[in-house]
Every structure is written in C-alpha cells, then in structure tokens.
Amino acid sequence: MKLREAPKRRGDGGDLPEVGDGAATRASTHRAEAAVGLVDRVLWAAYRRLGRHYLPAMVFGFALVLVPGGSEFANWIHGSHLLPGASRTVLWIEIHLVVTATAIVTWLRMWPTTAAVRRWWRTGRPDARAPAVWTSLSTLSRKGTVTFIVALLAIDTIGTVSMAGALNEGIRGTLSSLLGSTFLASGGMVLAYFLIELVVRPVVFDAASRLPRDFRPQARAIPFGAKVFGSLLGASWFACGLGLWIGSGDEPLAELLAPGLLVAGVTFVGVLLMTLLITRALKRPMDDLIRMSRQAGTGDFRARAPVASADEQGELTASFNQMVGDLGRVNDALNVSRARIVAASDEARRKVERDLHDGAQQHLVLAQLKLGLLEREISDDERARKIANDLRGELERGLQELRELARGIYPATLESEGLPGALSEVAERSPMDMTTDFDSAGRYTRELETAVYFCCLEAIQNATKHAGDGAQATIRLRSEGGALRFELVDDGVGFDASSTSPDGGIQHMADRLGAVGGELKVRSAPGEGTTVSGSVPIVASPSARGGDR
Amino acid sequence: MTRAERQDLNGNVTGKVTLLIVDDHAAFRSFARDLVSAAGFSVAGEAEDGESALTAVESLRPDVVLLDIQLPGIDGIEVARRIADEPDAPTVVLTSTREASEFGARLSMSGARGFIPKGELTADRLTELVSNGRP
C-alpha cells in the first residue's frame, strides 16, 4: 500500500473521491485513509470508535476548546478588569449552553444522513432510498460547515452582547464590540471551513468508497475565487480586529466603531482587488490546463497550454504539455501497432483461405472428377456403383464444409466485389429475414473493407442469434462526409444497452474499427430492437482491386 | 498444324479442335488432358502460369484455352482479358475450384466464352460450351 498517495478529489465543497468498485472496497478506504497523514489517522480512529456520533462529537469538542479558549485569550489581552468575576461566570455558562445546544442541533441535523448511510453499509445494497442518501451525503460537508459557522456566529454574538451588557457599554459600545468580535469570528470561519473539511473527510471517503459506481458524487464545488476571497478577507479582518482591540488599550469600546468600520471597508475593497489579481494570475493557467486535459480526454492530444512564466505554475504547465505530448505519441504508436496487428491478422486469413482453395480443395475436386471417371468404368457393377455413390456424397459434403470454412475465414467476394457484393452474399445466406440498402458501390482500401465487412458480419451473426424469432433486419452502407457508414437495424427483442457491458463480440468490432480510425455505436432497449452502427474515415479509393489472385 | 491450316475456304475449322490447358496443378492438367482427349480434342500444350499461357497462345495458336483462374502471377481472368484483346483470339473457357459468384462481375468482363466450376468439368459441358455460338 502506498502511504502518500494523494486522494482522488472531485470538486471542492464535498471533497469526494472517485468511487471505485461497486462492492464495498475496504482497499480504497485504506488508501484514502493513508493519504491524508497523521491528523486524518487520528480522525479516522475517532470516526471508527464514534460512528454516527462522530460529527456531533467533533463539533462539540472543537467548540468546547475553541470558543472558551478564544474568550480566555481576549480576557488575557485586555486584563482581568474587562469582566467582573460574576459576569465572567455568567458568560462561561452562556457559552457552554450555546455549545451544547449546537452539538445537539448538529447531531439532529446529521443523524438522518449518517444513519441512512450506515444502514446502507450494513445491508450492503443500495435500496430505493439510495439516491436520497447519496444526495444527503454529498451535502454533508457543506451542512457541517454551515452549522459550524452559524454556531460560531451565534456564540460570538451572544457572548459579545452579554459581555457589553455586563460592562454597561451602551448601544454604540455594543455595536463596536460586535464589530470587533465579528472581525475575530470571520477569521474563525476560515479556520472552521478547513477544519470541517478535515473533520468530515473520513465520513465522506468511507461512504464514497462503499458506493456503487453509478452513484457519482454530485458535490457542489466552491469556486476558486470565492475561496481566495473568503480566506483573505477572513484572515485580514481577523488581524485588523485583533490589532484594533489590542491597540485601543483602555479607550471606551464606543470609540472603536468609526475606525473599525473604516478598516472593514478598506480591507474589503483591498481584498476584492487582491482576489481579482490572484485569481486572474492563477486561474487562467488552470483553465488552460483544464481545457487541455479535457481535449486530451477525448483522444485529441494536439493541444498545448501556453507557458507564461518560469515559476512553479509555468513548470506545471510545461510538464503537463510534455505529458500530453508523450501520451499522444504513445497513443499514435498504439494505433499504428493495432492497425498493424489487424492487417497482419487479415493477411493471415487471406493466406489460409487461399491455401484451403489451392491445396485441400484442389485435391478434393480432382478426386471428385476422377470418381466420375471411375463411376463410368464400373457402371455394370451394382455394388461398386453404390459404394462410389456414397463416396461422392461424402466428398461433396466435405467440399461444401471446406467452402463454408474458407468463406468464413475470408470471403473471396469481398476481394472481387467489394462490400456490397460480400454483404449481399452474407444477407442471402443468413437465416434471418434481411434486406440490404447500399448507396455506396465504391471500392475502398482493403483494410477499410475488411474492417467494415467483419463488423457487419459480427453484427449480423449477433442479430441472428439474439434478435428472436421473426425478427427482420436491414443492413445499410452509406458514403457521406468523407466517411463510410454502416448500420444494421433489427426489430428484435433488444436489450438494455445502458446496463450491459460490451461483450467480446462488440469489443472485437470496436477494436477492428478503431484500428482503421473508425468508431462503433450500439443502441438498444428491451422490446425496441437493436441498431449497430459504425463509421470509418475514407482514406483513399484504390482504382482497381482484386487482380492479385 | 495451326488454326489457319485447318480452316476451309469458308473459314470453318476442320479436323480436331486444338486445346491449351492452363493450370498450376500438374495433377489437374493430367486429368484434363485425359478428359479432353477422350472428348475428341487435340491437346496443343500445357502451361502452368499466366505468363507462359500467353506465350503458348501466341506460339501454339490453339482453338480453345481451358484456363484456371487461380494462377501464380497474373490470374486467369486477366489472362483471358489479354487473350481477348488479341486478333483472331481463341475461345477461352475459365475454370476454378471456386464458385462463379466469388468472382462477380469480373467474369463477365473477362471476354471468356464461359465458366465451368472444376467440380462440374465434364467433356460434355466443355464441348457444349465450345461448340455453342458466342453468347
């Protein structure tokens, strides 16, 4: 097991990994577990112990440490005169009441989701409620974050107002206190965001690793700009608030309102501008990389992202460019190799077919002809004639089987007549009711004709086998837009193409077409027949073919 | 005796009809020689590939060529086409272990008199095809 393998991430808000196998895979859970280091291991251990009580316990635990810790810190800065002993006790009680209430609310909010997910894990099968469970799960992280932030703000407001009341600050003083504490709380929120992400990760990873592949994470991502803006503003306000509070010394809190508002406004505008600058500088290269990756994902490896700087970003872009280039070259080599293998296999087929005709079949035909001579010689002998007659039957059956075998290996008609002739012959021989519709009688390269022929043959054989009794089929050939397209449409029983993975035959067809740069599509639904279609780019049309026999 | 020497004043062929056998299988050539001889043809010669068939037609001037399609080098259909281009071309009968359908339209464009699958080759079929008028 790799210890530092980065977890696969998708989006930002949910931080859900790509789901592995449909079965509950402990392996992927372990990988995710190992990926995020010591803190996560501690959290995982807690998660395993606490189960569905994990999240509320975390909220309660953090709030218990952070909020009183924060207020003690503030008291330490201002000196013990800020709060008289009695008020301090009241504030302490208030804070703990709010924290307890928050934990209970969090537990209640999280409980249906975690309970449903755990029930699902226990039974091991996604039931009718599965999508609902999944939706809840994908919002789990967001839910936790929002709950935490709301709790922090609530505690902050209640604490500040009660503190200002205890000090008889008046409305202006209370507002000023609120402003100062909001500065501090906004910094707390940034902290909370990352904290919650960390805390929720074990639950989400574990859940996601157990989910079937079909249930893809639908987490809503937080845009990059919003993250930068939130972090910067939170950090700035936190620093400003702390500075104002400490700098004010023994001045009445009311005096801090005007400079506090000014600082808040200026910081807001400054952060906004910085966000735009940072986002612009970082996001454009990221967008380029995303665009290039997507293009490469579709099989087009020509795209390159501009390397605009010599820093880490530039290095990343350059290495990405190199990676995509390498991928392209490997892909090209693979395609050439695949085409070569298919061509070699087709050539071998042709050779075997020729050998059968020129070798075994020649001898059998000659034997048949000589048997004719013999039959004339022994026409008086009843018994000998009967034996010769039996022998003729055997010979004819052998020859017929040999012809069928040779035709199956490689049809001579394809060489002489091209696709329309060869496919018409297949349609005629097929036990299925089959019509042909060809608008293209042209000749193409041998590779293209062979690929299309064997794909159609496979499709026809599949239709004959699976379409059901009385089904009819039409086979079409069209030359349009620089590509040769074929289609086999049957009105048979069909199948659920969305849930059936391609079998060997279909994969073989796709491989064959892929080797000549083409692609295959299979559309089907129960009771609605099946359509197998494909298209191959036309490379060149040889003027004359078939003169090499 | 060339064809010209066996023609009467009206241009009809007299005496035995001469025949060239072209096949790359010696066993088949031997069988065909027996078959056509028994049917009253005179075997002018044998050839085992397309090139030597064309040379033999040129030098032996046979009346009929029994021509296998699958030959090393240029195939029988191409040989038939080239023979047909010659002035005073002999009658060409194509044969093969394959069925006619496998050659498609190339057969009808070859200029040959007809096609007999090897398995159905008999003296009667051959005589009938040769003695019939051009299609």
Side-chain angles (χ1 to χ4, degrees):
Chain A
M1 187 169 71
K2 284 187 205 164
L3 280 177
R4 298 298 300 172
E5 187 178 340
K8 289 182 192 166
R9 292 168 74 114
R10 186 188 170 98
D12 297 298
D15 282 343
L16 301 166
E18 285 281 340
V19 180
D21 202 274
T25 45
R26 292 306 303 173
S28 71
T29 308
H30 285 311
R31 268 203 304 281
E33 186 179 347
V36 276
L38 182 67
V39 177
D40 264 10
R41 275 204 284 280
V42 172
L43 292 177
W44 269 94
Y47 170 61
R48 277 209 212 86
R49 283 194 85 82
L50 298 171
R52 70 182 181 204
H53 306 296
Y54 166 82
L55 283 173
M58 279 293 149
V59 172
F60 186 80
F62 278 120
L64 204 62
V65 173
L66 284 179
V67 181
S71 66
E72 281 303 296
F73 179 65
N75 278 332
W76 173 72
I77 288 170
H78 277 266
S80 56
H81 69 277
L82 198 64
L83 279 180
S87 297
R88 228 174 118 166
T89 312
V90 171
L91 182 61
W92 258 99
I93 293 169
E94 273 176 358
I95 286 172
H96 285 95
L97 278 177
V98 171
V99 166
T100 312
T102 307
I104 292 170
V105 170
T106 310
W107 184 78
L108 286 174
R109 282 194 74 185
M110 300 283 184
W111 181 76
T113 300
T114 46
V117 172
R118 289 183 72 82
R119 195 166 51 241
W120 185 3
W121 297 344
R122 263 204 314 279
T123 59
R125 58 172 191 280
D127 55 22
R129 282 168 299 181
V133 168
W134 177 241
T135 310
S136 305
L137 190 70
S138 69
T139 58
L140 200 59
S141 175
R142 200 147 34 93
K143 238 184 205 177
T145 310
V146 170
T147 309
F148 202 99
I149 288 171
V150 168
L152 261 182
L153 281 176
I155 294 165
D156 174 65
T157 309
I158 293 167
T160 309
V161 170
S162 63
M163 190 168 70
L167 293 171
N168 295 318
E169 287 285 352
I171 291 180
R172 204 177 150 83
T174 308
L175 283 177
S176 177
S177 302
L178 264 178
L179 184 67
S181 61
T182 307
F183 274 153
L184 294 178
S186 60
M189 281 181 226
V190 176
L191 185 67
Y193 172 73
F194 292 108
L195 204 63
I196 288 293
E197 212 181 77
L198 199 69
V199 166
V200 170
R201 200 147 51 191
V203 187
V204 176
F205 272 13
D206 193 8
S209 71
R210 293 160 191 256
L211 288 170
R213 190 183 289 273
D214 294 345
F215 293 98
R216 288 287 178 184
Q218 299 293 326
R220 198 176 301 160
I222 295 176
F224 179 69
K227 268 184 183 171
V228 172
F229 183 71
S231 312
L232 282 179
L233 193 69
S236 310
W237 277 5
F238 186 72
C240 292
L242 210 57
L244 272 175
W245 205 352
I246 295 169
S248 65
D250 287 339
E251 277 182 51
L253 283 172
E255 296 301 313
L256 293 178
L257 187 59
L261 283 172
L262 185 66
V263 166
V266 170
T267 328
F268 185 87
V269 174
V271 165
L272 197 63
L273 287 174
M274 272 179 76
T275 306
L276 287 176
L277 281 175
I278 293 176
T279 311
R280 203 178 146 76
L282 287 180
K283 204 167 174 305
R284 189 178 288 170
M286 278 204 293
D287 285 344
D288 285 341
L289 287 184
I290 291 170
R291 205 168 27 249
M292 181 169 66
S293 308
R294 287 202 176 130
Q295 201 174 334
T298 63
D300 180 359
F301 298 98
R302 289 168 305 176
R304 297 286 181 275
V307 182
S309 60
D311 57 8
E312 290 89 339
Q313 182 64 55
E315 199 178 323
L316 176 69
T317 309
S319 55
F320 233 81
N321 281 343
Q322 188 181 348
M323 187 182 76
V324 171
D326 289 348
L327 264 177
R329 275 186 288 280
V330 169
N331 192 53
D332 287 348
L334 198 67
N335 282 339
V336 169
S337 153
R338 185 159 64 163
R340 211 165 39 220
I341 290 169
V342 169
S345 137
D346 287 344
E347 185 50 43
R349 277 171 171 268
R350 268 193 295 277
K351 187 174 180 317
V352 169
E353 194 265 357
R354 273 199 299 263
D355 288 350
L356 281 179
H357 271 294
D358 298 348
Q361 199 177 344
Q362 290 276 2
H363 292 297
L364 286 177
V365 165
L366 198 58
Q368 200 181 25
L369 290 171
K370 287 187 174 172
L371 185 63
L373 295 180
L374 181 68
E375 279 171 333
R376 269 202 293 281
E377 296 294 322
I378 56 171
S379 55
D380 300 338
D381 187 336
E382 179 71 25
R383 186 173 145 74
R385 229 176 48 223
K386 189 180 175 313
I387 293 172
N389 201 37
D390 289 348
L391 193 58
R392 176 171 289 281
E394 287 299 324
L395 260 178
E396 276 168 5
R397 272 191 291 280
L399 265 169
Q400 190 54 35
E401 277 179 26
L402 196 65
R403 281 199 189 98
E404 294 293 332
L405 179 68
R407 193 178 291 119
I409 291 170
Y410 191 86
T413 328
L414 181 61
E415 195 74 27
S416 59
E417 295 287 275
L419 283 166
L423 289 176
S424 297
E425 198 178 75
V426 175
E428 273 166 31
R429 288 174 193 277
S430 168
M432 199 175 177
D433 186 0
M434 197 166 283
T435 51
T436 55
D437 174 11
F438 304 140
D439 87 333
S440 163
R443 297 302 306 266
Y444 308 97
T445 59
R446 176 181 280 164
E447 289 76 17
L448 189 153
E449 287 185 344
T450 313
V452 172
Y453 172 82
F454 279 107
C455 280
C456 289
L457 185 67
E458 183 94 41
I460 290 170
Q461 285 167 348
N462 281 346
T464 309
K465 219 185 296 177
H466 302 298
D469 294 337
Q472 296 181 323
T474 304
I475 183 151
R476 292 194 183 90
L477 265 187
R478 296 272 184 275
S479 168
E480 50 192 25
L484 181 66
R485 299 175 201 283
F486 66 87
E487 191 177 60
L488 180 78
V489 187
D490 74 55
D491 60 357
V493 294
F495 65 96
D496 185 359
S498 62
S499 71
T500 313
S501 56
D503 65 0
I506 289 177
Q507 191 58 55
H508 185 229
M509 289 159 77
D511 285 349
R512 251 197 180 281
L513 287 186
V516 286
E519 56 181 13
L520 182 81
K521 282 183 192 144
V522 179
R523 293 194 306 277
S524 187
E528 290 177 20
T530 303
T531 300
V532 177
S533 59
S535 114
V536 186
I538 298 168
V539 184
S541 301
S543 52
R545 290 276 312 281
D548 57 345
R549 274 175 186 274
Chain B
M1 186 166 64
T2 67
R3 202 167 355 157
E5 293 170 81
R6 290 185 289 99
Q7 280 175 348
D8 62 18
L9 291 173
N10 296 321
N12 295 321
V13 176
T14 57
K16 276 193 172 181
V17 177
T18 57
L19 186 139
L20 173 70
I21 300 167
V22 186
D23 199 298
D24 55 330
H25 287 256
F28 181 80
R29 290 201 302 273
S30 159
F31 168 80
R33 177 180 280 273
D34 292 347
L35 184 86
V36 298
S37 301
F41 290 93
S42 162
V43 177
E46 292 177 10
E48 57 181 17
D49 58 46
E51 290 288 349
S52 52
L54 288 170
T55 315
V57 167
E58 191 70 29
S59 59
L60 301 173
R61 310 292 301 159
D63 301 309
V64 178
V65 182
L66 178 63
L67 183 57
D68 183 29
I69 293 180
Q70 288 124 280
L71 293 173
I74 42 177
D75 76 349
I77 294 178
E78 178 61 17
V79 172
R81 209 183 52 73
R82 291 192 199 176
I83 292 175
D85 284 347
E86 297 290 316
D88 194 20
T91 301
V92 174
V93 175
L94 287 166
T95 184
S96 173
T97 49
R98 295 177 189 274
E99 292 164 18
S101 65
E102 295 186 32
F103 302 105
R106 292 186 70 220
L107 268 190
S108 55
M109 292 190 296
S110 66
R113 173 70 63 88
F115 173 84
I116 304 173
K118 269 189 189 173
E120 298 167 20
L121 184 66
T122 57
D124 292 346
R125 280 287 294 269
L126 187 64
T127 313
E128 189 189 2
L129 200 58
V130 169
S131 56
N132 276 350
R134 291 186 184 279

